[in-house]
Each structure stands twice: as C-alpha cells, then as structure tokens.
Amino acid sequence: MNPEYSFFEAVCKSFDKAAKFTKFDEGILEQIKQCNSVLRIHFPVKIGDKVEVIKAYRVQHSNHKQPCKGGIRFSEMVNLDEVMALAALMTYKCAIVDVPFGGAKGGITIDPKKYTPYDLEKITRRYTSELIKKKFIGPGQDVPAPDYGTGEREMAWILDTYTAMHPGEIDSLACVTGKPVSQGGVRGRKEATGLGVFFGIREVCNNTDVMNRLGLPMGIEGKKIIVQGLGNVGYHAAKFFQENGALVVGLAEYEGSIYNENGLDVDAVFQHRKASGSILNFPGATNFNKNTDALEAPCDILIPAALENVINGDNASHIQAKIIGEAANGPLTPEADEILSNKGTLVVPDIYLNAGGVTVSYFEWVKNLSHMRYGRVEKRFMENHNTNLVSYIEEMTGKKVTEIQKNLLVHGPDEIDLVRSGLEDTMIKATNEILDCWKQNPEIKDMRTAAFLVAINKVGTSYAELGIFP
Ligand code: GLU
C-alpha cells in the first residue's frame, strides 16, 4: 500500500469535506464515520505438511440498516486500514443507491495464486467458521460477497459452511451473495459491477451541463476509453462500452499495457492474453512497457478497474482523460483528486459508480429470502397479455408486425431482464441525484463531495430518526 497516507483517513477526509454542507449533530457525524465493529483474527491451516497462520479481517462499518454488506478480498496487501476504508465506502455506496444495508468488508491476507484450490477451500471454510463463531455472518446480520481475488467459487464454499452449521435455517441461502446461479445466485450478478459502471458513465455523458463544461460531445458513441485491469469488473465494463459504440483504445494489466487509437476488440485481447500469458504484442496495438503508462495515454474516459492508489500525486498531472470513472475502490489518492479537480477533470466517484455489484447482490438477497426466481410468476402472463395486444392492434390496423418486432413486443421478463433493468434504473437515479445535489451546492468542487453529501444525508437521517439507544 502507498505509505503516503492511510486509506481510511482518506475516506474520512472526503467525508469531512462533504459533512460541512450538512446540519447534523457533530456526534451523529462522528458515529457515521467510525467503524462499529472490527474483527481481526489469526487461525491455523495445514498447508501440505506445515501449519500456516492466516491473518484475516471483517469490519462492520455501520449497522444503521441490517444486515451489513460487503465483499471479501483475498490479497497479500489486505490490512486493517484497507478493510476499514472499504467497509466505510460500502456504507456510503449502499446509501446512495438506496440499498437497505449497512457497510462491511472482509479480507484475508493471502496471495490466492500461491495456493491450490484445495488449500483455498480450507482457508475459506475456516474463515467462515470464525465469522460464524463471532456472529459476523448471517442473512440478517452480515452478508459477504465477492471482491478482489474472490468469486462464485469462494461464495459457494462460504454458503456450504454456513448451511452445514445452521441446519434447518430456512433463509440460510441469503447468508452470502455472488453465488453460482445453481446455488441460489441471481442471473446478472457476475457482470453487474461492470454494467453499473457503464450505465453510470453513460448517464454522465447524457448530461448536457456536464458535457458542455468538459467540452465533450454528448453520448457514449465514439468516445475513446482506456480500461486498467481486465478482471471481472474491468473486462465487463470494457465490453459494455464497446458494445454500445465506444472505442476501447487502451487496456492495461500487471505485465504491461496496449494501445490502438482505432480501438481494440476486448474479447480478442482477452483470448490473446489467455493464450500467450500476456496482454502485450496484441496484433495492431502498440506496447507500453509499464502498465501505468496506459493511464497517461490520450482518451476521453479513463476507467481504473483494479486496486487503490494507482492515480496519485506522481502521475495525476499527466492524465489526459476528461472523465475518470472509478470502477475500482479508491483508485485515486486525495492528492490526485486535488490535482485533477483543479485541472477540470471530472472524477466519477467509486462510492456510487461501482455500486452495481452490491445493487444486484441486494436483488440476490431478496430472491433468496423470497425463495423464488425473478420473473417466475409473471413471465407467461405478460407474454399472453402482449400477444393478445399485438393481435388486436394488427386486427384493428389491418397491418402485420414483422416476426422480429413481434418477438420483441411479446417477450415476458426473464430474471436477467429484470435484474438489468433494476440496475439500470438504480444507476440512472443515483447519477442524477448526485448531479442535482452538486448543482444545488455550487460551492462543492467535485462530484465525490456531492456523492458523499448525498450519502451522509441519507445515513444521517436514518441515525437521527432512529434516535440513540440509551
Ligand atoms: N465487493 C463489491 C463492492 O465492493 C460487492 C459487495 C456486495 O455485493 O456486497 O461493492
């Protein structure tokens, strides 16, 4: 981690900047800011014939809504400061997108690439049983999800450990989200964060005031995009931008980065990396030796989608993008934020832009509690209803719609349709709520502060209305 500051302090700094625009009691503001409960554990796991002591965390930042919610990351860089900061970001993120959870985050300080799947399973299951013992997991208490270094596989292990230790608990499927669909997951969760990033940026690009201020033409089409990180979030974000007419001109990974001003085919690059082991030497693209070089290359929109602090005091002034979309959590240091805001670059902040993951996690949790797939009850009804409607219109007008038009009009919603439209609506609403708040407070210099203000107003109101337990 970058030693120039603490990550949690940086989040608090952003909070304080926005809190000045509120009228909440100082004590309420302090209560919102602090982490409610911090769990730091060490546990032994037998790896081969040796015993390894694993360090892990779970931080519940807020319990103003229950359960609290947030991912679990596996990375060598995981430390208490980072988990606290990420848990706090979850509180604000959930508030902005009106997802009724408090914020939490967990992490295990391991490099998952150094372990076999068998060992990772042992570590994940042991971590889960520690969370159960300490009451840091449960459908109504604390609900983990994937994050950097974890995915569906780890969530299935967590679910299985939890259900094994809670026999007969009818809602146990809702103890974790981001599960495989066959294990109670919801369709559309995997690509949700990337799709949410796309919806958020698209809405920003559809805003006349913002685009005029930046001197950019409206809309996503033709915009040049650079994405740093081809993991789950970056890959899907890049794909959605490309599918909607943007040009993905640069892509960056650990080993280096590539650039082609005429656009790169995201799937072809992904396959090339899979086959050759590197993103470099992709046909038609220029190689950059350092992966961070791509951040400074010419583009309209830069999407950092990997880890924190990649844009900092050293490189911020070289960034050419007019819009930075924070798909990762905390990719900019406060120094970078300051430099970029003075330069007039629009930073679309992580605390709402990457909320697609937790939004769809919310849909998954509700699905698990209702014990029914979205669309199951209404799909056939809607299709029959729409078929009748089309037939009456055809009869009345004496004209026939084409087969393609008919399929489009008749189609009843599947789970994926409902999840995606719910996500789209959430991201559009959140973007406009933040932009409106910014407009109403012209002294606010950047979108991050406006987003924090929206979050503090919601969490603060919730605390104020609940009152303080004597
Ligand atoms: N890890 C994701 C995040 O940082 C998702 C959290 C969740 O789904 O609970 O937002």
Side-chain angles (χ1 to χ4, degrees):
M1 176 167 163
N2 191 334
E4 87 191 83
Y5 73 100
S6 121
F7 189 10
F8 182 65
E9 250 170 55
V11 175
C12 292
K13 218 165 148 182
S14 298
F15 180 99
D16 290 339
K17 242 170 145 182
K20 283 196 298 232
F21 296 94
T22 72
K23 291 192 174 66
F24 291 110
D25 183 294
E26 277 301 315
I28 297 259
L29 290 172
E30 187 60 19
Q31 174 57 33
I32 299 173
K33 214 161 54 168
Q34 297 303 336
C35 293
N36 286 11
S37 317
V38 172
L39 176 69
R40 196 190 64 161
I41 45 182
H42 288 92
F43 53 83
V45 177
K46 197 108 183 262
I47 306 289
D49 55 3
K50 287 210 176 71
V51 174
E52 221 175 278
V53 177
I54 307 285
K55 196 159 59 173
Y57 309 87
R58 183 76 183 168
V59 171
Q60 298 181 342
H61 176 261
S62 65
N63 303 103
H64 71 108
K65 300 251 190 259
Q66 295 209 327
C68 54
K69 186 93 190 71
I72 291 177
R73 64 171 56 184
F74 287 2
S75 149
E76 262 177 331
M77 319 236 289
V78 163
N79 59 51
L80 183 58
D81 171 59
E82 183 190 57
V83 183
M84 283 168 63
L86 295 169
L89 288 175
M90 287 307 301
T91 296
Y92 309 129
K93 195 185 294 188
C94 290
I96 295 172
V97 291
D98 290 327
V99 161
F101 296 138
K105 202 77 166 199
I108 306 186
T109 314
I110 51 163
D111 176 358
K113 287 193 211 79
K114 292 195 182 141
Y115 295 86
T116 61
Y118 175 72
D119 291 335
L120 283 174
E121 180 171 351
K122 279 205 285 189
I123 295 169
T124 309
R125 286 184 183 274
R126 178 64 196 256
Y127 173 70
T128 309
S129 53
E130 294 292 330
L131 295 183
I132 295 170
K133 270 198 281 184
K134 305 288 187 324
K135 299 198 183 304
F136 268 69
I137 184 171
Q141 280 170 322
D142 187 341
V143 181
D147 199 84
Y148 188 81
T150 58
E152 288 184 350
R153 182 184 63 174
E154 287 73 16
M155 301 309 116
W157 292 333
I158 292 175
L159 171 71
D160 189 55
T161 312
Y162 185 88
T163 42
M165 291 168 85
H166 294 83
E169 193 179 291
I170 185 103
D171 288 331
S172 60
L173 266 184
C175 76
V176 62
T177 60
K179 303 177 291 287
V181 172
S182 56
Q183 301 300 329
V186 75
R187 287 159 187 85
R189 172 63 183 86
K190 208 171 182 173
E191 65 273 28
T193 311
L195 182 57
V197 168
F198 167 74
F199 284 143
I201 295 290
R202 186 190 66 185
E203 197 56 20
V204 166
C205 291
N206 285 341
N207 186 292
T208 325
D209 287 352
V210 174
M211 289 293 110
N212 284 346
R213 198 167 354 117
L214 294 172
L216 285 174
M218 300 281 290
I220 279 292
E221 217 164 309
K223 291 269 184 314
K224 293 190 169 174
I225 320 268
I226 294 178
V227 179
Q228 183 240 3
L230 264 190
N232 182 43
V233 179
Y235 166 73
H236 284 111
K239 271 205 73 164
F240 287 116
F241 277 113
Q242 186 184 334
E243 277 168 22
N244 285 276
L247 279 182
V248 178
V249 292
L251 288 167
E253 259 296 344
Y254 303 99
E255 63 276 11
S257 43
I258 54 171
Y259 188 85
N260 182 344
E261 64 170 351
N262 299 317
L264 297 156
D265 179 43
V266 179
D267 263 333
V269 173
F270 193 79
Q271 292 310 329
H272 163 80
R273 185 168 187 251
K274 222 169 146 187
S276 71
S278 168
I279 200 172
L280 297 170
N281 304 321
F282 181 71
T286 311
N287 287 337
F288 290 130
N289 287 330
K290 281 204 343 244
N291 61 357
T292 46
D293 286 351
L295 302 171
E296 301 171 20
C299 66
D300 300 307
I301 304 171
L302 174 63
I303 307 285
L307 283 174
E308 49 263 20
N309 299 339
V310 290
I311 303 175
N312 45 50
D314 296 335
N315 61 359
S317 58
H318 304 146
I319 304 283
Q320 300 191 49
K322 294 229 167 120
I323 299 175
I324 299 180
E326 292 187 317
N329 286 309
L332 268 68
T333 65
E335 291 74 13
D337 234 0
E338 192 70 28
I339 296 168
L340 289 159
S341 130
N342 290 338
K343 243 174 64 155
T345 310
L346 175 70
V347 177
V348 186
D350 49 3
I351 52 163
Y352 104 93
L353 190 65
N354 66 26
V358 75
T359 302
V360 176
S361 274
Y362 169 47
F363 300 157
E364 181 175 334
W365 182 76
V366 171
K367 172 186 180 177
N368 296 152
L369 295 178
S370 73
H371 300 266
M372 207 196 294
R373 167 177 45 110
Y374 289 104
R376 176 164 179 177
V377 176
E378 66 269 43
K379 183 178 167 66
R380 187 67 47 188
F381 175 83
M382 289 308 295
E383 285 187 354
N384 291 341
H385 176 82
N386 294 342
T387 308
N388 288 338
L389 212 65
V390 172
S391 308
Y392 292 144
I393 293 172
E394 284 182 337
E395 229 173 84
M396 272 159 45
T397 57
K399 288 182 185 153
K400 289 247 175 243
V401 295
T402 66
E403 216 37 45
I404 295 174
Q405 286 167 335
K406 190 165 182 178
N407 288 339
L408 216 67
L409 291 168
V410 160
H411 176 80
D414 289 314
E415 182 164 86
I416 187 77
D417 302 317
L418 295 168
V419 163
R420 287 198 171 169
S421 81
L423 174 61
E424 182 173 12
D425 188 56
T426 302
M427 293 309 294
I428 290 175
K429 275 209 179 94
T431 309
N432 289 313
E433 204 172 339
I434 296 166
L435 291 175
D436 285 349
C437 169
W438 196 4
K439 212 169 176 178
Q440 282 156 22
N441 294 277
E443 320 88 282
I444 290 180
K445 267 173 61 189
D446 52 273
M447 194 170 173
R448 188 186 314 283
T449 307
F452 264 91
L453 181 53
V454 170
I456 297 170
N457 277 332
K458 290 186 183 178
V459 183
T461 306
S462 172
Y463 270 110
E465 284 173 356
L466 284 171
I468 306 292
F469 192 76

